[in-house]
Amino acid sequence: MVAQMTAKPDHRGPSRCYGRTVPAGWVPALTLTLTLIAGRALAGEGGGGLPQLDPATVPTQLFWLAVSFLVLYYMLFGVALPRVESVLQERDSRIAFDVVKADELRAEADAVLAAAERLRDQARSQGQELVARTGRVGLASNRLLMAELDVQLMARIKDAEARILAAKLTALAQIDEVAAEAARELAARLAGVRVDDATMAALVGQVARDGFLGRVPGAGAPQRSRPRSAAEAAG
Amino acid sequence: MDPLHQFHIKPLISVIVADLDVSFSNSALSMITSVIIIYALMMLGMRRRSMVPGRWQSLAEIFYEFITKMVDDNAGRAARPFFPFIFTLFMFILVGNLLGMLPWAFTFTSHIVVTFAMAIFVFTMATLLALIKHGFRFFTFFLPHGVPLWLAPLLVPIEIVSYLSRPISLSVRLFANMMAGHTMLKVFAGFTVMMGAGLGALGYAAGIVPVIINIALIGFEIMVATLQAYVFAILTCLYIRDALELH
Amino acid sequence: MDAETARIVAVALTVIGTNLKYVGAGAAAIGLAGAGAGIGNLFASHVASVARNPAVEQKIFPITMLGFALTEAAGLFALLVAFLILFT
């Protein structure tokens, strides 16, 4: 705006300030010149502008860049990278070796497994055959055996029953004898009465048949169901 | 307060060789520090050469395998001899960029002289490689396949300019990223100071905002630092592939 | 125009000339808009690709990052011009 305002009068026509004609284009030219001059002056005041554009620092930067880059390159190229590479190769070869070994081991394990499976199948088929054969033979023999056993057992049971019966009869027979003996002893001790064997046996036989006073019908059941009458009977 | 103050090169030890001022400056200190860090990382990491790598060894191996893969994928297996060079280039730029993120550290990659020197070296190397490998046939590179011949007068100059602008774009990309990033950090940090100076206590309270932005920007700059090293290395790979394969 | 007016004009033009560079720097920074649009486009495409086929994310992420770096650098060329105008 200011530039236009100041420039305006000068564009009306040839200027006659100093008594001679100058071309109308002098304002842009002057502006440019002054701008350049002022810019240069300002740049001088500002301390040289961008530090990156200071040519004085170029040699030192290039020199130290070259030195450090070359040193780094040869250190990495000569020492560090081969070392990393050797470690990586060592690991790769180790892994490859391990993979090969693992493959071998797996193949071996597969073979062993296959053999075991074959053996197992074989054993299973053998067992099945054996079971089948045994089943056919065993069924018949088992029946025979069981029948035989049944007969034997029945015989033994019968034998045992007979023996029990005999023992019972013997015991029953002996009870009267024992009772007579005990009664005679009691009579002798308590009353001083001597009873001969025949009488005692007759008495015992009577008591055993008719009860102690000849009134009580049996020994077991009536006493349990009627305790009072049993007590009366005892009294 | 000058955001460009951080880019000034200050001589620490004056060295003058054959009338040239090659003083050991803060830039040189940064470069040498980078070299030491890279070498230490690679050597200390691989010191034990263990079959099962530890933390540092893993890092060294990751860098190695990352660059190996980059070279194989982008430059082809024929470019294997250039692997140490690309590895050195990548690590040097990466560590240089990251080192510059530390306070008071100098970022040597923020100088166009350094990046242009590296770019022109890559460019010259690739061009010489192409000339040695393909001889005169190298110049067919400037006429893409399957283009009608009448377009050649138009296309060949474009291709030549595009080819010649490679070192410029390669170097300016890295330099501009580093410089712009660091300047931006400094400008935002300057806002805090300006607020404090201009508005007093209120200004210091409000000055926390640029600080928070700066924290985010530092994260961004670390990403850019890594990414630009990667881009420089990968473009080097691509240029080498162009030289080896011509198209 | 007398000598006094000419002097005033000269001083005014000097002031304008030295300050116009800020306008130029600002104008140069407009170029960053293109980089912004480009980066936005790049990541929009990345997101769209990953949404269509999530399996490719690992594969295309480095490519996206490379594209980001190249696009961003194009914008920084404009910023660099702004810096050059401002500080030179």
Side-chain angles (χ1 to χ4, degrees):
Chain A
M1 281 303 282
V2 185
Q4 276 180 356
M5 269 157 56
T6 51
K8 236 174 202 168
D10 304 309
H11 279 295
R12 283 178 188 154
S15 181
R16 289 173 205 281
C17 298
Y18 300 104
R20 57 191 179 88
T21 307
V22 285
W26 72 273
V27 172
L30 181 66
T31 311
L32 191 67
T33 315
L34 288 177
T35 306
L36 286 175
I37 291 167
R40 180 117 320 267
L42 204 76
E45 281 170 24
L50 282 180
Q52 279 92 341
L53 299 183
D54 182 5
T57 63
V58 170
T60 161
Q61 290 196 71
L62 285 182
F63 175 76
W64 288 103
L65 173 69
V67 166
S68 50
F69 195 87
L70 285 177
V71 166
L72 182 65
Y73 180 78
Y74 281 106
M75 285 199 307
L76 291 180
F77 177 67
V79 187
L81 291 178
R83 182 175 291 203
V84 181
E85 177 144 29
S86 76
V87 168
L88 288 179
Q89 269 180 357
E90 208 175 305
R91 183 178 306 146
D92 282 352
S93 63
R94 173 72 180 275
I95 287 170
F97 176 73
D98 283 357
V99 165
V100 167
K101 210 163 91 176
D103 277 347
E104 278 171 12
L105 284 174
R106 198 177 53 200
E108 203 176 313
D110 282 349
V112 168
L113 193 69
E117 278 180 349
R118 213 167 46 241
L119 272 176
R120 195 190 60 194
D121 290 349
Q122 219 172 340
R124 182 186 287 160
S125 62
Q126 275 178 3
Q128 277 171 350
E129 199 182 323
L130 205 65
V131 165
R133 210 170 51 208
T134 318
R136 282 197 302 278
V137 177
L139 220 59
S141 66
N142 273 355
R143 287 213 183 110
L144 208 66
L145 215 64
M146 271 165 69
E148 204 174 309
L149 219 59
D150 270 355
V151 171
Q152 277 180 9
L153 283 173
M154 288 307 283
R156 281 171 69 179
I157 286 166
K158 278 194 178 139
D159 191 27
E161 277 176 350
R163 268 189 287 141
I164 288 165
L165 199 65
K168 209 159 117 186
L169 290 174
T170 319
L172 281 172
Q174 279 174 353
I175 279 175
D176 284 358
E177 258 178 56
V178 172
E181 184 80 23
R184 197 179 61 214
E185 283 290 308
L186 277 169
R189 296 259 179 103
L190 292 173
V193 183
R194 285 202 177 272
V195 187
D196 60 355
D197 283 356
T199 317
M200 190 53 74
L203 272 170
V204 169
Q206 194 193 339
V207 170
R209 269 198 314 275
D210 303 334
F212 187 58
L213 298 173
R215 288 190 290 124
V216 182
Q223 272 186 347
R224 276 201 294 273
S225 59
R226 286 190 297 170
R228 285 205 66 83
S229 66
E232 276 167 21
Chain B
M1 284 297 290
D2 179 13
L4 300 181
H5 180 74
Q6 56 183 325
F7 301 121
H8 278 294
I9 290 179
K10 298 182 200 72
L12 303 175
I13 303 164
S14 186
V15 182
I16 291 171
V17 178
D19 281 349
L20 277 177
D21 179 16
V22 292
S23 303
F24 186 82
S25 58
N26 48 0
S27 168
L29 180 66
S30 243
M31 289 177 192
I32 298 294
T33 313
S34 297
V35 170
I36 292 168
I37 288 174
I38 296 164
Y39 191 65
L41 170 70
M42 299 308 289
M43 292 310 285
L44 292 181
M46 302 310 292
R47 190 184 43 193
R48 290 167 58 194
R49 306 172 59 102
S50 40
M51 197 53 84
V52 180
R55 205 173 297 167
W56 290 104
Q57 192 178 334
S58 287
L59 194 61
E61 287 178 10
I62 283 169
F63 279 127
Y64 184 91
E65 288 181 334
F66 177 67
I67 303 297
T68 311
K69 195 170 178 300
M70 186 202 281
V71 172
D72 280 0
D73 289 353
N74 297 293
R77 291 193 64 89
R80 270 297 175 86
F82 295 94
F83 167 73
F85 173 71
I86 292 166
F87 188 87
T88 311
L89 199 62
F90 174 77
M91 293 303 282
F92 193 59
I93 296 172
L94 177 72
V95 175
N97 288 352
L98 290 176
L99 202 64
M101 292 311 296
L102 295 175
W104 294 291
F106 184 85
T107 324
F108 62 82
T109 46
S110 68
H111 272 256
I112 183 74
V113 176
V114 173
T115 60
F116 190 73
M118 291 193 285
I120 201 79
F121 186 81
V122 169
F123 175 79
T124 314
M125 190 182 75
T127 309
L128 285 179
L129 181 71
L131 281 171
I132 291 166
K133 195 170 162 63
H134 300 286
F136 199 68
R137 271 200 321 122
F138 165 68
F139 295 100
T140 62
F141 182 73
F142 298 114
L143 187 64
H145 278 301
V147 170
L149 210 62
W150 58 268
L151 267 177
L154 185 66
L155 270 175
V156 168
I158 291 176
E159 287 288 323
I160 289 174
V161 168
S162 147
Y163 187 77
L164 290 179
S165 69
R166 276 176 175 187
I168 297 165
S169 68
L170 190 62
S171 59
V172 171
R173 181 178 298 113
L174 177 59
F175 147 69
N177 264 289
M178 286 302 113
M179 186 199 162
H182 283 76
T183 310
M184 196 159 58
L185 289 179
K186 206 58 172 276
V187 165
F188 272 95
F191 284 161
T192 305
V193 179
M194 277 156 69
M195 282 181 185
L199 301 170
L202 187 72
Y204 278 116
I208 196 77
V209 177
V211 171
I212 290 169
I213 294 173
N214 242 3
I215 291 170
L217 280 179
I218 284 170
F220 178 74
E221 283 308 315
I222 288 172
M223 188 195 84
V224 166
T226 319
L227 213 54
Q228 289 304 322
Y230 174 68
V231 167
F232 202 101
I234 211 164
L235 287 175
T236 304
C237 289
L238 292 176
Y239 295 164
I240 288 174
R241 182 171 64 183
D242 278 350
L244 288 174
E245 295 177 5
L246 289 187
H247 305 300
Chain C
M1 192 193 277
D2 56 359
E4 180 61 19
T5 317
R7 206 181 61 80
I8 290 170
V9 167
V11 169
L13 288 177
T14 310
V15 171
I16 294 157
T18 51
N19 287 300
L20 265 177
K21 68 174 188 174
Y22 293 110
V23 180
I30 293 172
L32 284 164
I39 293 169
N41 197 1
L42 185 80
F43 280 105
S45 303
H46 178 78
V47 169
S49 318
V50 173
R52 273 169 192 269
N53 184 3
V56 298
E57 180 165 15
Q58 294 293 320
K59 204 175 154 93
I60 65 169
F61 186 71
I63 302 171
T64 306
M65 276 296 129
L66 185 64
F68 165 75
L70 296 176
T71 314
E72 194 213 15
L76 286 178
F77 293 161
L79 191 65
L80 190 71
V81 171
F83 278 142
L84 283 172
I85 295 170
L86 274 182
F87 297 109
T88 312

